[in-house]
Amino acid sequence: MATQLTAPTTAAGCRVLGLRERKKQRTRDALVDAAHTLFLQQGYGRTTVDEIAAAVDVSQRTFFRYFANKEEVALAVIADAEDFFIDCLRARPAEENPLQAMRAAITQTWRTLAATRASGPGGVTAALELFELIENTPTLLAAHLRHSTQQEQVVAGVLAERENLDPAVDLRPRLLAAVFGAVIRHSHLSWAGDGRAHEKGPDGMIEMIERHFDQLGPALAGSWR
């Protein structure tokens, strides 16, 4: 009987993959990278699944083993970052209040991705470029907003679990998750429109997120006059 290998983690929290998984991951990364390049070069609407598959020298059938459609491959980089954020949020110390935990988890996510995957498929630079593409592509924006709504439900569930609450009864987890989602989206929009922050790349994004969080308390509870 073959011995099943465990999947250890690196210091950065990344799981070490076996040979077969690494091959699959390379194919997935190549598809994401090709799609990203084609979308930026010729636009989302003009790019076909066949073109993405051909750029990686795989069949359309292989493409659909990894992604259900073109929208999914376009949003893959951001979806992966969001999954990483959820893992970071679950790992935050129990003594942090929900807002502290989310703020720390999102900055931890950006710093880790910037340190370990600064460029290339799934890299932080690709994610930053995709934010602009999404905002300028109605089809992608609609898909991203649908995904964001689903993500809010996941975040609310994690918050409720951390605080031992029933989200069906206590409204706070869902409300805070929605507020958090709005803060992050507006941070992305502000980053895209700020040339100086844009030039700083990941550091500029982290600074923008921190700036928005600093204003959240005064905006919600402070005097505006």
Side-chain angles (χ1 to χ4, degrees), residues 85 89 92-107 155 159 162-163 172-173 175-184 209-210 212-221:
F85 162 75
L89 179 58
R92 295 306 305 173
E95 60 268 20
E96 291 180 344
N97 68 45
L99 189 57
Q100 288 174 327
M102 288 192 295
R103 180 172 181 167
I106 193 64
T107 55
V155 172
L159 296 181
R162 281 176 54 90
E163 301 299 319
R172 290 175 296 176
L175 286 172
L176 190 54
V179 170
F180 174 77
V183 169
I184 298 304
I209 290 172
E210 293 281 8
H212 277 68
F213 270 111
D214 287 342
Q215 292 300 313
L216 181 57
L220 292 176

Coordinates of all heavy atoms in Angstrom, one line a residue, residues 85 89 92-107 155 159 162-163 172-173 175-184 209-210 212-221:
F85 N -7.6 35.4 2.2 CA -8.1 36.3 3.3 C -8.9 35.6 4.3 O -8.8 35.8 5.5 CB -8.9 37.5 2.6 CG -9.7 38.2 3.6 CD1 -9.2 39.1 4.6 CD2 -11.1 38.0 3.6 CE1 -10.0 39.7 5.5 CE2 -11.9 38.6 4.6 CZ -11.4 39.5 5.5
L89 N -8.3 35.4 8.2 CA -9.3 35.8 9.2 C -9.6 34.7 10.2 O -9.7 35.0 11.4 CB -10.6 36.2 8.4 CG -11.7 36.7 9.3 CD1 -11.3 37.9 10.1 CD2 -13.0 37.0 8.5
R92 N -6.8 34.7 12.9 CA -6.6 35.8 13.8 C -6.8 35.5 15.2 O -7.7 34.7 15.5 CB -7.4 37.0 13.3 CG -7.1 37.6 12.0 CD -5.7 37.9 11.7 NE -5.2 38.8 12.8 CZ -3.9 39.2 12.9 NH1 -3.0 38.7 12.0 NH2 -3.5 40.0 13.8
P93 N -6.1 36.1 16.1 CA -6.3 35.8 17.6 C -7.7 36.1 18.0 O -8.3 37.1 17.6 CB -5.3 36.8 18.2 CG -4.2 37.1 17.2 CD -5.0 37.1 15.9
A94 N -8.2 35.3 18.9 CA -9.6 35.4 19.4 C -9.8 36.7 20.1 O -11.0 37.1 20.2 CB -9.9 34.2 20.3
E95 N -8.8 37.3 20.7 CA -9.0 38.5 21.5 C -9.3 39.7 20.6 O -9.7 40.7 21.1 CB -7.9 38.7 22.5 CG -6.5 38.9 21.8 CD -5.7 37.7 21.6 OE1 -6.4 36.6 21.7 OE2 -4.5 37.7 21.5
E96 N -9.0 39.6 19.3 CA -9.3 40.8 18.5 C -10.8 40.9 18.2 O -11.4 39.9 18.0 CB -8.5 40.6 17.1 CG -7.0 40.7 17.2 CD -6.3 40.5 15.9 OE1 -7.0 40.0 14.9 OE2 -5.2 40.9 15.8
N97 N -11.3 42.1 18.2 CA -12.7 42.2 17.9 C -12.8 42.0 16.4 O -11.9 42.0 15.6 CB -13.2 43.6 18.4 CG -12.7 44.8 17.6 OD1 -12.5 44.8 16.4 ND2 -12.3 45.8 18.4
P98 N -14.1 41.8 15.9 CA -14.3 41.5 14.5 C -13.6 42.5 13.5 O -13.0 42.1 12.5 CB -15.8 41.5 14.3 CG -16.3 41.0 15.7 CD -15.3 41.7 16.6
L99 N -13.8 43.8 13.8 CA -13.2 44.8 12.8 C -11.7 44.7 12.9 O -11.0 44.8 11.8 CB -13.7 46.2 13.2 CG -13.3 47.3 12.2 CD1 -13.9 46.9 10.8 CD2 -13.9 48.6 12.6
Q100 N -11.1 44.6 14.0 CA -9.6 44.5 14.1 C -9.1 43.2 13.4 O -8.1 43.3 12.7 CB -9.2 44.4 15.6 CG -9.3 45.6 16.4 CD -9.0 45.4 17.9 OE1 -9.3 44.3 18.4 NE2 -8.5 46.4 18.5
A101 N -9.9 42.1 13.5 CA -9.5 40.9 12.9 C -9.5 41.0 11.4 O -8.6 40.6 10.7 CB -10.4 39.7 13.3
M102 N -10.6 41.6 10.8 CA -10.7 41.8 9.4 C -9.6 42.8 8.8 O -9.1 42.5 7.8 CB -12.1 42.3 9.0 CG -13.2 41.2 9.2 SD -14.8 41.7 8.5 CE -15.2 43.1 9.5
R103 N -9.4 43.8 9.6 CA -8.4 44.8 9.1 C -7.0 44.1 9.1 O -6.3 44.3 8.1 CB -8.4 46.0 10.0 CG -7.3 47.1 9.7 CD -7.5 48.3 10.5 NE -6.6 49.3 10.1 CZ -6.6 50.6 10.5 NH1 -7.6 51.0 11.3 NH2 -5.7 51.5 10.1
A104 N -6.7 43.4 10.1 CA -5.4 42.7 10.2 C -5.3 41.7 9.1 O -4.2 41.5 8.5 CB -5.2 42.1 11.6
A105 N -6.4 40.9 8.9 CA -6.4 39.8 7.9 C -6.2 40.4 6.5 O -5.5 39.8 5.7 CB -7.6 39.0 8.0
I106 N -6.8 41.5 6.1 CA -6.7 42.0 4.8 C -5.3 42.6 4.5 O -4.7 42.4 3.4 CB -7.8 43.0 4.4 CG1 -7.9 43.3 2.9 CG2 -7.6 44.3 5.2 CD1 -8.3 42.1 2.1
T107 N -4.7 43.3 5.5 CA -3.4 43.8 5.3 C -2.4 42.6 5.3 O -1.4 42.6 4.5 CB -3.0 44.8 6.4 OG1 -3.2 44.2 7.7 CG2 -3.9 46.0 6.3
V155 N -17.8 35.7 5.0 CA -17.1 36.5 6.0 C -18.0 36.6 7.3 O -17.6 36.5 8.4 CB -16.8 37.9 5.5 CG1 -16.3 38.8 6.6 CG2 -15.7 37.8 4.4
L159 N -17.2 35.5 11.1 CA -17.3 36.4 12.2 C -18.3 35.8 13.3 O -18.0 35.9 14.5 CB -17.8 37.7 11.8 CG -16.9 38.6 10.8 CD1 -17.6 39.9 10.5 CD2 -15.6 38.8 11.5
R162 N -16.5 33.1 15.1 CA -15.5 33.6 16.1 C -16.1 34.2 17.3 O -15.6 34.0 18.4 CB -14.7 34.8 15.4 CG -13.6 34.4 14.4 CD -13.0 35.6 13.8 NE -12.6 36.6 14.7 CZ -11.3 36.6 15.3 NH1 -10.4 35.7 14.9 NH2 -11.0 37.6 16.1
E163 N -17.3 34.8 17.2 CA -18.0 35.4 18.3 C -19.1 34.5 18.9 O -19.8 34.9 19.8 CB -18.6 36.7 17.9 CG -17.6 37.7 17.3 CD -16.6 38.1 18.3 OE1 -16.9 38.3 19.5 OE2 -15.4 38.2 17.9
R172 N -25.3 41.7 13.4 CA -24.0 42.3 13.4 C -23.0 41.7 12.4 O -22.3 42.4 11.7 CB -23.5 42.4 14.8 CG -24.2 43.4 15.7 CD -23.7 43.4 17.1 NE -24.0 42.1 17.7 CZ -23.5 41.8 19.0 NH1 -22.8 42.7 19.6 NH2 -23.8 40.6 19.5
P173 N -22.9 40.3 12.4 CA -21.9 39.8 11.5 C -22.2 40.1 10.0 O -21.3 40.5 9.3 CB -22.1 38.3 11.7 CG -22.5 38.1 13.1 CD -23.5 39.3 13.3
L175 N -24.0 42.7 8.9 CA -23.8 44.1 8.7 C -22.4 44.5 8.6 O -21.9 45.3 7.7 CB -24.5 44.9 9.8 CG -26.0 45.0 9.8 CD1 -26.5 45.6 11.1 CD2 -26.5 45.7 8.6
L176 N -21.5 44.0 9.4 CA -20.1 44.3 9.4 C -19.4 43.7 8.2 O -18.5 44.4 7.6 CB -19.5 43.8 10.7 CG -18.0 44.2 11.0 CD1 -18.0 45.8 11.0 CD2 -17.5 43.7 12.3
A177 N -19.8 42.6 7.8 CA -19.2 42.0 6.6 C -19.6 42.9 5.3 O -18.7 43.1 4.5 CB -19.8 40.6 6.3
A178 N -20.8 43.4 5.3 CA -21.2 44.3 4.2 C -20.4 45.6 4.2 O -20.0 46.1 3.2 CB -22.7 44.5 4.3
V179 N -20.2 46.1 5.4 CA -19.5 47.4 5.6 C -18.0 47.1 5.1 O -17.4 47.9 4.4 CB -19.5 47.9 7.0 CG1 -18.5 49.0 7.2 CG2 -20.9 48.4 7.3
F180 N -17.5 46.0 5.6 CA -16.1 45.7 5.2 C -15.9 45.6 3.7 O -15.0 46.1 3.1 CB -15.7 44.4 5.9 CG -14.4 43.8 5.5 CD1 -13.2 44.4 6.0 CD2 -14.2 42.8 4.6 CE1 -12.0 43.9 5.6 CE2 -13.0 42.3 4.2 CZ -11.9 42.9 4.7
G181 N -16.9 44.9 3.1 CA -16.8 44.7 1.6 C -16.8 46.1 0.9 O -16.1 46.3 -0.1
A182 N -17.6 47.0 1.4 CA -17.7 48.3 0.8 C -16.4 49.1 1.0 O -15.9 49.8 0.1 CB -18.9 49.1 1.4
V183 N -15.8 49.0 2.2 CA -14.5 49.6 2.5 C -13.5 49.2 1.5 O -12.7 49.9 0.9 CB -14.1 49.4 3.9 CG1 -12.6 49.9 4.1 CG2 -15.0 50.2 4.9
I184 N -13.4 47.8 1.3 CA -12.4 47.3 0.4 C -12.6 47.7 -1.0 O -11.7 48.1 -1.7 CB -12.3 45.7 0.5 CG1 -12.0 45.3 2.0 CG2 -11.4 45.2 -0.5 CD1 -10.7 45.9 2.5
I209 N -6.0 51.1 1.9 CA -6.9 50.3 2.8 C -6.8 50.8 4.2 O -7.9 51.0 4.9 CB -6.6 48.8 2.7 CG1 -6.9 48.3 1.3 CG2 -7.3 48.0 3.8 CD1 -6.5 46.8 1.1
E210 N -5.6 51.1 4.7 CA -5.5 51.6 6.1 C -6.1 52.9 6.2 O -6.7 53.2 7.2 CB -4.0 51.7 6.4 CG -3.2 50.3 6.5 CD -3.5 49.6 7.8 OE1 -4.3 50.1 8.6 OE2 -2.9 48.6 8.1
H212 N -8.7 54.1 4.6 CA -10.1 54.0 4.6 C -10.6 53.4 6.0 O -11.6 53.9 6.5 CB -10.6 53.1 3.5 CG -10.7 53.8 2.2 ND1 -9.6 54.3 1.5 CD2 -11.8 54.1 1.4 CE1 -10.1 54.8 0.3 NE2 -11.4 54.7 0.3
F213 N -9.9 52.5 6.5 CA -10.2 52.0 7.8 C -10.1 53.0 8.9 O -10.9 53.1 9.8 CB -9.4 50.7 8.2 CG -10.0 49.4 7.7 CD1 -9.4 48.7 6.7 CD2 -11.1 48.9 8.3 CE1 -9.9 47.5 6.3 CE2 -11.7 47.7 7.9 CZ -11.1 47.0 6.9
D214 N -9.1 53.9 8.8 CA -8.9 55.0 9.8 C -10.1 55.9 9.8 O -10.5 56.5 10.8 CB -7.7 55.8 9.5 CG -6.4 55.0 9.8 OD1 -6.5 54.0 10.6 OD2 -5.3 55.4 9.3
Q215 N -10.8 56.0 8.6 CA -12.0 56.9 8.5 C -13.3 56.2 8.8 O -14.3 56.9 8.9 CB -12.0 57.6 7.1 CG -10.9 58.5 6.9 CD -10.8 59.7 7.8 OE1 -11.9 60.3 8.1 NE2 -9.7 60.0 8.4
L216 N -13.3 54.9 9.0 CA -14.5 54.2 9.1 C -15.2 54.6 10.4 O -16.4 54.9 10.4 CB -14.3 52.7 9.1 CG -15.5 51.8 9.2 CD1 -16.5 52.1 8.1 CD2 -15.1 50.3 9.2
G217 N -14.5 54.6 11.5 CA -15.1 54.9 12.8 C -15.7 56.3 12.8 O -16.9 56.5 13.2
P218 N -14.9 57.4 12.4 CA -15.5 58.7 12.4 C -16.7 58.8 11.4 O -17.6 59.6 11.7 CB -14.3 59.6 11.9 CG -13.1 58.8 12.3 CD -13.4 57.4 12.2
A219 N -16.6 58.1 10.3 CA -17.8 58.2 9.4 C -19.0 57.6 10.0 O -20.1 58.1 9.7 CB -17.4 57.4 8.1
L220 N -18.9 56.5 10.8 CA -20.1 55.8 11.3 C -20.6 56.5 12.6 O -21.8 56.6 12.8 CB -19.7 54.4 11.6 CG -19.5 53.5 10.4 CD1 -19.0 52.1 10.8 CD2 -20.7 53.4 9.5
A221 N -19.7 56.9 13.4 CA -20.1 57.4 14.8 C -19.7 58.8 15.1 O -20.2 59.4 16.1 CB -19.5 56.4 15.8

